[in-house]
Amino acid sequence: MKSFKNLKQSFFLIGLCISLLFSAQAWSEKRPQVKLQTTMGDIYLELYPDKSPIAVENFLKYVDRHFYDGLIFHRVMPRFMIQTGGFGFDFSKKETDDPIKNESANGLSNSCGSVAMARLGDDPDSGSSQFYINVNNNKHLDIGDNEGYTVFGRVIKGIRVAEAISELRRGKHSGQFSDAPNQTVQIIKATRAKGQKVYNTKCAAMR
């Protein structure tokens, strides 16, 4: 009788493990993760396809074909944001696919650690490959009096790296690159990740 009880407990534990495994897999599929390996450290992102399906599909398309590998952070602003996804080491602009529709009315905010689509200021549907990471609560970028900017993910690990990039000295470059850091910071590789632990993101500007 005792052995039968132990057997039932074993089956229960096996079933529970299988259930948790499939739940974790389903969760990872619902919220894909991406690792940005940069010359200043790694940044891990979690994406929200349920909120921003167009932006997430577009971003992952570029990741999967290694479009971001070697690109630089061409715009950094302390206690504001860092931007990448458009220019190579020599500031040559990389050719992109067609722009995508703005999804800024998805309920997500440009809060500390969020990841959003960059676009032209006068055209809400002009986003393509460029994106930025907020290192402060930038709610003025949310939809409101203007069309806003599409948030499609957030930093789950590496916010200190993003902040360090934002604090780099600028001024060496002129024209459209006036906010480029004097020290070149590149994305060595952008790849899909899986199972990365989610850390509570808290920016220095909020501490």
Coordinates of all heavy atoms in Angstrom, one line a residue, residues 132-199:
Y132 N 15.4 52.2 -29.9 CA 16.1 52.8 -28.8 C 15.7 52.2 -27.4 O 14.6 51.5 -27.3 CB 15.8 54.3 -28.7 CG 14.4 54.7 -28.5 CD1 13.9 54.9 -27.3 CD2 13.5 54.9 -29.6 CE1 12.5 55.3 -27.1 CE2 12.2 55.3 -29.5 CZ 11.7 55.5 -28.2 OH 10.4 55.9 -28.0
I133 N 16.5 52.3 -26.4 CA 16.3 51.8 -25.1 C 16.2 53.1 -24.2 O 17.1 53.9 -24.1 CB 17.4 50.9 -24.6 CG1 17.5 49.7 -25.5 CG2 17.2 50.5 -23.1 CD1 18.7 48.8 -25.2
N134 N 15.1 53.2 -23.5 CA 14.9 54.3 -22.5 C 15.7 54.0 -21.2 O 15.6 52.9 -20.7 CB 13.4 54.4 -22.2 CG 12.6 55.0 -23.3 OD1 12.7 56.1 -23.7 ND2 11.7 54.1 -23.9
V135 N 16.4 55.0 -20.8 CA 17.1 54.9 -19.5 C 16.5 55.9 -18.5 O 17.2 56.3 -17.5 CB 18.6 55.1 -19.6 CG1 19.3 54.0 -20.4 CG2 19.0 56.5 -20.3
N136 N 15.3 56.2 -18.7 CA 14.5 57.1 -17.8 C 13.0 56.9 -18.2 O 12.7 56.2 -19.1 CB 14.9 58.5 -18.0 CG 14.6 59.4 -16.8 OD1 13.8 59.0 -15.9 ND2 15.2 60.6 -16.7
N137 N 12.2 57.4 -17.4 CA 10.7 57.4 -17.7 C 10.4 58.5 -18.7 O 10.4 59.7 -18.3 CB 9.9 57.6 -16.4 CG 9.8 56.3 -15.6 OD1 10.1 55.2 -16.1 ND2 9.4 56.4 -14.4
N138 N 10.3 58.2 -19.9 CA 10.1 59.2 -21.0 C 8.7 59.2 -21.5 O 8.4 58.9 -22.7 CB 11.1 59.0 -22.1 CG 12.5 59.1 -21.6 OD1 12.9 60.0 -20.9 ND2 13.4 58.2 -22.0
K139 N 7.7 59.5 -20.6 CA 6.3 59.4 -21.0 C 5.9 60.4 -22.0 O 4.8 60.2 -22.6 CB 5.5 59.5 -19.7 CG 5.7 58.3 -18.8 CD 4.7 58.3 -17.6 CE 4.9 57.1 -16.7 NZ 3.9 57.0 -15.6
H140 N 6.7 61.4 -22.2 CA 6.4 62.4 -23.3 C 6.5 61.8 -24.7 O 6.0 62.3 -25.7 CB 7.3 63.6 -23.2 CG 8.7 63.3 -23.4 ND1 9.5 62.7 -22.4 CD2 9.5 63.5 -24.5 CE1 10.8 62.6 -22.9 NE2 10.8 63.1 -24.1
L141 N 7.1 60.6 -24.8 CA 7.2 59.8 -26.0 C 6.0 58.9 -26.3 O 5.9 58.3 -27.3 CB 8.5 59.0 -26.1 CG 9.8 59.8 -25.9 CD1 11.0 58.9 -26.0 CD2 9.9 60.8 -27.1
D142 N 5.1 58.8 -25.3 CA 3.9 58.0 -25.4 C 2.9 58.7 -26.3 O 2.9 59.9 -26.5 CB 3.3 57.7 -24.0 CG 4.2 56.9 -23.2 OD1 5.2 56.3 -23.7 OD2 3.9 56.8 -22.0
I143 N 1.9 57.9 -26.8 CA 0.8 58.5 -27.6 C 0.0 59.5 -26.7 O -0.2 59.3 -25.5 CB -0.1 57.4 -28.1 CG1 -1.1 58.1 -29.1 CG2 -0.8 56.7 -27.1 CD1 -1.8 57.0 -30.0
G144 N -0.3 60.6 -27.3 CA -1.1 61.7 -26.5 C -1.4 62.8 -27.5 O -2.2 62.6 -28.4
D145 N -0.8 63.9 -27.3 CA -1.0 65.0 -28.2 C -0.4 64.7 -29.6 O -0.8 65.3 -30.6 CB -0.4 66.3 -27.7 CG -1.1 66.8 -26.4 OD1 -2.3 66.4 -26.3 OD2 -0.5 67.5 -25.6
N146 N 0.6 63.8 -29.6 CA 1.2 63.4 -30.9 C 1.0 61.9 -31.0 O 0.4 61.2 -30.1 CB 2.7 63.8 -30.9 CG 3.4 63.2 -29.8 OD1 3.4 62.0 -29.5 ND2 4.1 64.1 -29.0
E147 N 1.5 61.3 -32.1 CA 1.3 59.9 -32.4 C 2.0 58.9 -31.5 O 1.7 57.7 -31.4 CB 1.6 59.6 -33.8 CG 0.7 60.3 -34.8 CD -0.7 59.8 -34.8 OE1 -0.9 58.6 -34.4 OE2 -1.6 60.5 -35.2
G148 N 3.1 59.4 -30.8 CA 3.8 58.5 -29.9 C 4.8 57.6 -30.6 O 4.8 57.5 -31.9
Y149 N 5.5 56.8 -29.8 CA 6.5 55.9 -30.3 C 6.2 54.5 -29.8 O 5.9 54.3 -28.6 CB 7.9 56.3 -29.9 CG 8.4 57.6 -30.5 CD1 7.9 58.8 -30.1 CD2 9.3 57.6 -31.6 CE1 8.3 60.0 -30.7 CE2 9.7 58.8 -32.2 CZ 9.2 60.0 -31.8 OH 9.6 61.2 -32.4
T150 N 6.3 53.5 -30.7 CA 5.9 52.1 -30.3 C 6.9 51.4 -29.4 O 8.0 51.2 -29.8 CB 5.8 51.3 -31.6 OG1 4.8 51.9 -32.5 CG2 5.3 49.9 -31.3
V151 N 6.4 51.1 -28.2 CA 7.2 50.3 -27.3 C 6.9 48.8 -27.6 O 5.7 48.4 -27.7 CB 6.8 50.6 -25.8 CG1 7.5 49.6 -24.9 CG2 7.2 52.0 -25.4
F152 N 7.9 48.0 -27.8 CA 7.7 46.6 -28.1 C 8.4 45.6 -27.2 O 8.4 44.4 -27.5 CB 8.0 46.3 -29.6 CG 9.5 46.5 -30.0 CD1 10.4 45.4 -29.9 CD2 10.0 47.8 -30.3 CE1 11.7 45.6 -30.3 CE2 11.3 47.9 -30.7 CZ 12.2 46.9 -30.6
G153 N 9.1 46.1 -26.2 CA 9.8 45.2 -25.3 C 10.4 46.0 -24.2 O 10.2 47.1 -24.0
R154 N 11.3 45.3 -23.4 CA 12.0 45.9 -22.3 C 13.3 45.2 -22.0 O 13.5 44.0 -22.3 CB 11.1 45.9 -21.1 CG 10.9 44.6 -20.4 CD 10.0 44.7 -19.1 NE 9.7 43.4 -18.5 CZ 10.1 43.1 -17.3 NH1 10.8 43.9 -16.6 NH2 9.8 41.9 -16.8
V155 N 14.2 45.9 -21.3 CA 15.4 45.3 -20.8 C 15.1 44.4 -19.6 O 14.5 44.9 -18.7 CB 16.5 46.3 -20.5 CG1 17.7 45.7 -19.9 CG2 16.8 47.2 -21.7
I156 N 15.6 43.1 -19.6 CA 15.4 42.3 -18.5 C 16.7 42.0 -17.8 O 16.7 41.5 -16.7 CB 14.7 41.0 -18.8 CG1 15.5 40.2 -19.9 CG2 13.2 41.2 -19.2 CD1 14.9 38.8 -20.2
K157 N 17.8 42.4 -18.4 CA 19.1 42.3 -17.8 C 20.1 43.2 -18.6 O 20.1 43.1 -19.8 CB 19.6 40.8 -17.8 CG 21.0 40.6 -17.1 CD 21.4 39.2 -17.1 CE 22.7 39.0 -16.4 NZ 23.2 37.6 -16.5
G158 N 20.9 43.9 -17.9 CA 21.9 44.7 -18.6 C 21.6 46.2 -18.7 O 22.2 47.0 -19.5
I159 N 20.6 46.7 -17.9 CA 20.3 48.1 -17.9 C 21.4 49.0 -17.5 O 21.6 50.1 -18.0 CB 19.0 48.4 -17.0 CG1 18.5 49.8 -17.3 CG2 19.4 48.3 -15.5 CD1 17.9 50.0 -18.6
R160 N 22.3 48.5 -16.7 CA 23.5 49.3 -16.3 C 24.4 49.5 -17.5 O 25.1 50.5 -17.7 CB 24.3 48.6 -15.2 CG 23.5 48.4 -13.9 CD 23.2 49.7 -13.2 NE 22.2 49.5 -12.2 CZ 21.0 49.8 -12.3 NH1 20.5 50.2 -13.5 NH2 20.1 49.6 -11.4
V161 N 24.5 48.5 -18.4 CA 25.2 48.6 -19.7 C 24.6 49.8 -20.5 O 25.3 50.6 -21.0 CB 25.3 47.3 -20.4 CG1 26.0 47.5 -21.8 CG2 25.9 46.2 -19.6
A162 N 23.3 49.7 -20.7 CA 22.6 50.8 -21.4 C 22.9 52.1 -20.8 O 23.1 53.1 -21.6 CB 21.1 50.5 -21.5
E163 N 22.8 52.2 -19.5 CA 23.1 53.5 -18.9 C 24.5 54.0 -19.1 O 24.7 55.2 -19.3 CB 22.8 53.4 -17.4 CG 21.3 53.3 -17.0 CD 21.1 53.0 -15.5 OE1 21.9 52.3 -14.9 OE2 20.1 53.6 -15.0
A164 N 25.5 53.1 -19.0 CA 26.9 53.4 -19.2 C 27.1 54.0 -20.6 O 27.8 54.9 -20.9 CB 27.8 52.2 -19.0
I165 N 26.4 53.4 -21.6 CA 26.5 53.8 -23.0 C 25.9 55.2 -23.1 O 26.5 56.1 -23.8 CB 25.8 52.9 -24.0 CG1 26.5 51.5 -24.0 CG2 25.7 53.4 -25.4 CD1 25.7 50.4 -24.7
S166 N 24.8 55.5 -22.4 CA 24.2 56.8 -22.5 C 25.0 57.9 -21.9 O 24.9 59.1 -22.3 CB 22.8 56.8 -21.8 OG 23.0 56.8 -20.4
E167 N 25.9 57.6 -21.0 CA 26.7 58.6 -20.3 C 28.1 58.9 -21.0 O 28.8 59.7 -20.6 CB 27.1 58.1 -18.9 CG 25.8 57.9 -18.0 CD 25.2 59.2 -17.5 OE1 26.0 60.3 -17.7 OE2 24.1 59.2 -17.1
L168 N 28.3 58.2 -22.1 CA 29.6 58.5 -22.9 C 29.7 59.9 -23.4 O 28.7 60.5 -23.8 CB 29.7 57.5 -24.0 CG 29.9 56.0 -23.6 CD1 29.9 55.1 -24.9 CD2 31.2 55.8 -22.9
R169 N 30.9 60.4 -23.4 CA 31.1 61.8 -23.9 C 30.8 61.9 -25.4 O 31.0 61.0 -26.2 CB 32.5 62.2 -23.7 CG 32.9 62.4 -22.2 CD 34.3 62.8 -22.0 NE 34.6 64.1 -22.7 CZ 34.4 65.3 -22.1 NH1 34.0 65.4 -20.8 NH2 34.7 66.4 -22.7
R170 N 30.2 63.0 -25.8 CA 29.8 63.2 -27.2 C 30.5 64.5 -27.7 O 31.1 65.2 -26.9 CB 28.3 63.4 -27.3 CG 27.5 62.2 -26.8 CD 26.0 62.5 -26.6 NE 25.8 63.5 -25.6 CZ 24.7 64.2 -25.4 NH1 23.7 64.1 -26.3 NH2 24.6 65.1 -24.4
G171 N 30.3 64.9 -28.9 CA 30.8 66.1 -29.5 C 31.8 66.0 -30.5 O 32.1 67.0 -31.2
K172 N 32.4 64.8 -30.7 CA 33.4 64.6 -31.7 C 32.9 64.7 -33.1 O 33.5 65.2 -34.1 CB 34.1 63.3 -31.5 CG 35.2 62.9 -32.5 CD 35.8 61.6 -32.1 CE 36.9 61.2 -33.1 NZ 37.4 59.8 -32.8
H173 N 31.7 64.2 -33.3 CA 31.0 64.2 -34.6 C 30.1 65.3 -34.8 O 29.6 65.9 -33.9 CB 30.3 62.8 -34.8 CG 31.1 61.7 -34.4 ND1 32.1 61.1 -35.1 CD2 31.1 60.9 -33.2 CE1 32.7 60.1 -34.5 NE2 32.1 60.0 -33.3
S174 N 29.8 65.7 -36.0 CA 29.0 66.8 -36.3 C 27.8 66.4 -37.2 O 27.6 65.3 -37.5 CB 29.8 67.9 -37.1 OG 30.3 67.4 -38.3
G175 N 27.0 67.4 -37.5 CA 25.8 67.2 -38.4 C 24.8 66.3 -37.7 O 24.5 66.4 -36.5
Q176 N 24.3 65.3 -38.4 CA 23.3 64.4 -37.9 C 23.8 63.4 -36.8 O 23.1 62.7 -36.2 CB 22.7 63.5 -39.0 CG 23.7 62.6 -39.7 CD 23.0 61.7 -40.7 OE1 21.9 61.1 -40.4 NE2 23.6 61.5 -41.9
F177 N 25.2 63.4 -36.6 CA 25.8 62.6 -35.6 C 26.3 63.3 -34.4 O 27.2 62.9 -33.7 CB 26.9 61.8 -36.2 CG 26.5 61.0 -37.4 CD1 26.9 61.3 -38.7 CD2 25.6 59.9 -37.3 CE1 26.6 60.5 -39.8 CE2 25.2 59.1 -38.4 CZ 25.7 59.5 -39.6
S178 N 25.6 64.5 -34.1 CA 26.1 65.3 -33.0 C 25.9 64.6 -31.6 O 26.5 64.9 -30.6 CB 25.3 66.6 -33.0 OG 23.9 66.4 -32.9
D179 N 25.0 63.6 -31.6 CA 24.8 62.9 -30.3 C 25.4 61.5 -30.3 O 25.2 60.7 -29.5 CB 23.3 62.7 -30.1 CG 22.6 64.0 -29.7 OD1 23.2 64.7 -28.9 OD2 21.5 64.2 -30.1
A180 N 26.3 61.3 -31.3 CA 27.1 60.0 -31.3 C 28.2 60.1 -30.3 O 28.8 61.1 -30.1 CB 27.7 59.8 -32.7
P181 N 28.4 59.0 -29.6 CA 29.5 59.0 -28.6 C 30.9 59.0 -29.2 O 31.1 58.5 -30.3 CB 29.3 57.6 -27.9 CG 28.6 56.7 -28.9 CD 27.7 57.7 -29.7
N182 N 31.8 59.7 -28.6 CA 33.2 59.8 -29.1 C 33.8 58.4 -29.2 O 34.6 58.1 -30.0 CB 34.0 60.7 -28.2 CG 33.5 62.1 -28.2 OD1 32.7 62.5 -29.1 ND2 34.0 62.9 -27.2
Q183 N 33.4 57.6 -28.2 CA 33.9 56.2 -28.2 C 32.9 55.3 -29.0 O 31.7 55.2 -28.6 CB 34.0 55.7 -26.8 CG 34.3 54.2 -26.6 CD 34.2 53.7 -25.2 OE1 34.4 54.5 -24.3 NE2 33.9 52.5 -25.0
T184 N 33.3 54.7 -30.0 CA 32.4 53.8 -30.8 C 32.0 52.6 -30.0 O 32.8 51.9 -29.5 CB 33.1 53.3 -32.1 OG1 33.5 54.5 -32.9 CG2 32.2 52.5 -33.0
V185 N 30.7 52.4 -30.0 CA 30.1 51.3 -29.3 C 29.3 50.5 -30.3 O 28.4 51.0 -30.9 CB 29.2 51.7 -28.1 CG1 28.7 50.4 -27.4 CG2 29.9 52.6 -27.1
Q186 N 29.6 49.2 -30.5 CA 29.0 48.4 -31.5 C 28.2 47.3 -30.9 O 28.4 46.8 -29.8 CB 30.1 47.7 -32.4 CG 30.7 48.7 -33.4 CD 31.7 47.9 -34.3 OE1 32.7 47.5 -33.8 NE2 31.3 47.7 -35.6
I187 N 27.2 46.8 -31.7 CA 26.5 45.6 -31.4 C 27.4 44.5 -32.1 O 27.4 44.5 -33.3 CB 25.1 45.5 -31.9 CG1 24.2 46.6 -31.2 CG2 24.5 44.1 -31.7 CD1 22.8 46.7 -31.8
I188 N 28.1 43.7 -31.3 CA 28.9 42.6 -31.9 C 28.0 41.6 -32.5 O 28.2 41.2 -33.7 CB 29.7 42.0 -30.8 CG1 30.7 43.0 -30.1 CG2 30.5 40.8 -31.4 CD1 31.4 42.5 -28.9
K189 N 26.9 41.2 -31.8 CA 26.0 40.2 -32.3 C 24.6 40.4 -31.6 O 24.6 40.6 -30.4 CB 26.5 38.8 -32.1 CG 25.8 37.7 -32.8 CD 26.4 36.4 -32.5 CE 27.7 36.2 -33.3 NZ 28.3 34.9 -33.1
A190 N 23.6 40.3 -32.4 CA 22.2 40.3 -31.8 C 21.6 38.9 -32.2 O 21.5 38.5 -33.3 CB 21.4 41.4 -32.4
T191 N 21.2 38.1 -31.1 CA 20.7 36.8 -31.3 C 19.5 36.5 -30.4 O 19.4 37.2 -29.4 CB 21.8 35.7 -31.0 OG1 22.3 36.0 -29.7 CG2 22.9 35.8 -32.0
R192 N 18.7 35.6 -30.8 CA 17.6 35.1 -29.9 C 18.2 34.5 -28.7 O 19.2 33.8 -28.8 CB 16.7 34.2 -30.7 CG 15.9 34.8 -31.8 CD 14.7 34.1 -32.1 NE 14.1 34.5 -33.3 CZ 12.8 34.5 -33.5 NH1 11.9 34.1 -32.6 NH2 12.3 34.8 -34.7
A193 N 17.6 34.7 -27.6 CA 18.0 34.1 -26.3 C 16.8 33.2 -25.8 O 15.7 33.3 -26.3 CB 18.4 35.1 -25.3
K194 N 17.1 32.5 -24.8 CA 16.0 31.6 -24.2 C 16.3 31.4 -22.7 O 17.4 31.1 -22.3 CB 15.9 30.3 -25.0 CG 14.7 29.4 -24.6 CD 14.7 28.1 -25.4 CE 14.4 28.4 -26.8 NZ 14.2 27.1 -27.6
G195 N 15.3 31.5 -21.9 CA 15.4 31.1 -20.5 C 16.1 32.1 -19.7 O 16.5 31.8 -18.5
Q196 N 16.4 33.3 -20.2 CA 17.1 34.3 -19.4 C 16.2 34.8 -18.2 O 15.1 35.1 -18.4 CB 17.5 35.5 -20.2 CG 18.2 36.6 -19.5 CD 19.5 36.2 -18.8 OE1 20.3 35.5 -19.4 NE2 19.6 36.6 -17.5
K197 N 16.8 34.8 -17.0 CA 16.1 35.2 -15.8 C 15.7 36.7 -16.0 O 16.5 37.5 -16.5 CB 16.9 35.0 -14.6 CG 16.2 35.4 -13.3 CD 17.1 35.1 -12.1 CE 16.4 35.6 -10.8 NZ 17.2 35.4 -9.6
V198 N 14.5 37.1 -15.6 CA 14.0 38.4 -15.7 C 14.3 39.2 -14.4 O 13.9 38.8 -13.3 CB 12.5 38.5 -15.9 CG1 12.0 39.9 -15.9 CG2 12.1 37.7 -17.2
Y199 N 15.1 40.2 -14.6 CA 15.5 41.1 -13.4 C 14.7 42.3 -13.4 O 14.2 42.8 -14.4 CB 17.0 41.4 -13.5 CG 17.9 40.3 -13.3 CD1 18.3 39.4 -14.3 CD2 18.4 40.0 -12.0 CE1 19.1 38.4 -14.2 CE2 19.3 38.9 -11.8 CZ 19.6 38.1 -12.9 OH 20.4 37.0 -12.7

